[in-house]
Amino acid sequence: MYDILPVLDPVLTDDARAWLAKARETLAEKGAAHLPILFPQLARTIGRHGLGGARVQVEDADVDLAAWRACDAAGLVLIQDANPSAAVHTDLFLHGDIEERTIALRALAFQPIGEATVDLLGEIQRTNTTAHFEAGGLDSNLVVRAVDAGGEDAGFTRADFNRFVLKMAFSDLPLERAFDGLRYASAELSHMLQDFATEREAAGRAVWTDTYRFIGRAPTEGTRARLVGGLEHGDDGTRLAAAEGVRDLGDASLTAYAKERLPREPREGIRAVLEAIGG
Amino acid sequence: MRIFEPHAHMFSRVTDDYERMALAGIRAVLEPAFWLGQNRTSVGTFIDYFDTILGWERFRAAQFGIHHYCTMALNPREANDDRVNDDVMAVLPRYCQKDGVLAVGEIGLDDQTAKEEKYFLAQVELAKECGLPILIHTPHRDKKKGFERIIDLVRDSGIAMEHVLLDHGNEETIKVTRDLGCYQGFSIYPFTKMDPNRMTRIVLEYGVERMIINSAADWGVSDPLMVPRTVMKLRQARVPDSDIETLVWDNPVAFFAQSGRLDTAELEWPATANLRETYEGNAVLRGQDPDQM
């Protein structure tokens, strides 16, 4: 269990520190059923300012505390103290306000995968509140851990993961915030992302850059042509992602396109990827 | 002139109302939890209603630049209903802790039954525990007797009088309440309860100390612009702007700021409105271009 107090304590005011100590005492006395009384008070008593932490790895959890706020960390402390049932944890979200929901979701990143994880990741699939999608699914490897624990049919499944990634694409959220997300690239997901890209292009809108990274890992019909097209795109981020996709695909028939692009590529980082293609 | 509308059931109003209110100077609105026009039959419908006035309604108001706050309570009408009363009381401690909840209310008496008194007193105790003021609904029938009974109950409860807002007052009740030290609310209706001309006469006679006016707009024949309409009548009667501002801004802000949850710096500007944002996937746009609104 991760002890977040050493990171939290320096950013607490005296009043906030006193409130948290009192809240923990009350929780020890009254149990997890008291969490719904304490949770609404977290944001206004502890504060919404940044925690200022760094990326930490605890057992199989990988979490970027730079995305956390002081109230998120205090919420984790209370949840760790109370060890609520899945029903109580889920209820903190379902009947919480915007802030409570965010805090309840952030805490999942350090928790073992369980019923609450699956239920709440399901909730964020249905929300358009970006703050909640971010708090539950990003800045950690929670989603990948959830697929690890789930699988094809149970818990958080590969199909759930595919819908999650598609929602990231829809919201234009960078893949790098879903740690290790490329591990579950699949032909089915590539198909979904390419169809979505085609819709976007038909509407004259930008394609999610990370599409190229996913499809390079798990090609399907149309992948190669899309990757080659990406190498000549006017946007630097798209060209970089396409170059990485070509590299990861490892298809010798695409090497010539990378070599053709190389002399005209102005960006050093992209050139380095192109040079690595084809050995 | 900035206006804090301290009593409007926006749950039952349309977006046109929000727009007109904002244009008329209403910077903030407080939505007391109350009856919905017909009795509810389970606690779940209360919970959904509470979540709505804390969430969606707050978002909807902000879309028009209006800060939205609310109060939480088991209202006196449904305090008489054994299908819901105890179950609602069980969830109230949680909901009274939410951000944006500035008081316990509307509590009080309606038919003036023993059950109403029981749940009224239980909620006064809850308010004391939470450090929140109370917004009291006073009866529309047999009002004077109801007022006097409520005052007795409030006095015996030990809650600080400055934490008490006795709402729906009139020319008769002001004589009873003016020296108590509590705040007095007057609900200005198009035809009933209190109207702008009568309210103007009350202000001219009694002043504005600890007095608050509201529209109590709801699903019935009512008008969420009754406070700005009353402001106009007061100006026509040569009431100084400073007194009017005390009545429609300083007093309600001072009363609800006692909750410790009203950020007065936030009130200096209209609520941030980004019409492209959604709440749980829902917007108020219905397909319209937000840049044209």
Side-chain angles (χ1 to χ4, degrees), chain B residues 2-15:
Chain B
R2 294 176 304 177
I3 295 171
F4 190 114
E5 162 57 90
H7 189 144
H9 301 284
M10 301 309 296
F11 180 87
S12 58
R13 308 301 302 196
V14 297
T15 52

Side-chain angles (χ1 to χ4, degrees), chain A residues 36-37 40-41 44 48 91-92 94-98 100-101 127-129 132, chain B residues 47-48 51 54 93-100 260-261 278-282:
Chain A
I37 305 290
Q41 305 175 55
R44 67 173 177 267
R48 299 168 173 88
D91 182 73
L92 291 173
L94 291 178
H95 296 295
D97 59 23
I98 295 269
E100 292 173 77
R101 289 181 169 207
T127 185
N128 275 4
T129 306
H132 293 153
Chain B
I47 289 171
D48 289 341
D51 285 336
L54 281 161
R94 177 185 196 174
Y95 280 92
C96 284
Q97 291 295 346
K98 304 282 189 183
D99 279 348
R261 301 180 196 169
T278 62
Y279 182 80
E280 296 296 326
N282 294 308

Side-chain angles (χ1 to χ4, degrees), chain A residues 101 146 224 230 273:
Chain A
R101 289 181 169 207
R224 287 165 180 79
V273 178

Side-chain angles (χ1 to χ4, degrees), chain A residues 4-16:
Chain A
I4 204 166
L5 271 174
V7 182
L8 172 62
D9 192 70
V11 302
L12 293 179
T13 63
D14 289 344
D15 286 348

Side-chain angles (χ1 to χ4, degrees), chain A residues 151-217:
Chain A
E152 294 299 332
D153 303 315
F156 192 80
T157 65
R158 294 287 291 267
D160 291 325
F161 177 81
N162 290 349
R163 290 192 298 117
F164 180 87
V165 173
L166 200 59
K167 188 152 182 161
M168 287 186 74
F170 187 80
S171 307
D172 200 26
L173 293 163
L175 174 65
E176 63 184 4
R177 293 183 63 190
F179 302 164
D180 205 17
L182 282 174
R183 183 143 63 84
Y184 282 111
S186 66
E188 172 67 18
L189 178 54
S190 294
H191 195 75
M192 293 163 71
L193 288 171
Q194 288 183 177
D195 282 353
F196 183 57
T198 303
E199 281 182 43
R200 281 285 176 99
E201 287 163 342
R205 299 177 65 188
V207 170
W208 187 49
T209 306
D210 291 308
T211 297
Y212 297 91
R213 296 189 169 92
F214 268 107
I215 65 178
R217 294 288 184 105

Side-chain angles (χ1 to χ4, degrees), chain A residues 55-200:
Chain A
R55 192 158 163 171
V56 294
Q57 292 184 310
V58 183
E59 298 168 359
D60 60 343
D62 182 357
V63 184
D64 186 2
L65 292 179
W68 284 48
R69 305 167 305 165
C71 54
D72 299 326
L76 175 66
V77 171
L78 297 184
I79 283 179
Q80 287 173 334
D81 282 356
N83 191 24
S85 66
V88 170
H89 194 150
T90 303
D91 182 73
L92 291 173
F93 175 88
L94 291 178
H95 296 295
D97 59 23
I98 295 269
E99 299 288 17
E100 292 173 77
R101 289 181 169 207
T102 304
I103 296 165
L105 290 166
R106 282 278 181 218
L108 291 173
F110 284 111
Q111 301 289 96
I113 302 301
E115 197 180 329
T117 323
V118 176
D119 289 348
L120 292 174
L121 286 180
E123 291 292 337
I124 66 168
Q125 300 269 46
R126 289 187 288 274
T127 185
N128 275 4
T129 306
T130 305
H132 293 153
F133 188 79
E134 292 173 314
L138 303 185
D139 311 310
S140 76
N141 64 345
L142 177 69
V143 171
V144 168
R145 284 201 297 128
V147 187
D148 289 344
E152 294 299 332
D153 303 315
F156 192 80
T157 65
R158 294 287 291 267
D160 291 325
F161 177 81
N162 290 349
R163 290 192 298 117
F164 180 87
V165 173
L166 200 59
K167 188 152 182 161
M168 287 186 74
F170 187 80
S171 307
D172 200 26
L173 293 163
L175 174 65
E176 63 184 4
R177 293 183 63 190
F179 302 164
D180 205 17
L182 282 174
R183 183 143 63 84
Y184 282 111
S186 66
E188 172 67 18
L189 178 54
S190 294
H191 195 75
M192 293 163 71
L193 288 171
Q194 288 183 177
D195 282 353
F196 183 57
T198 303
E199 281 182 43
R200 281 285 176 99

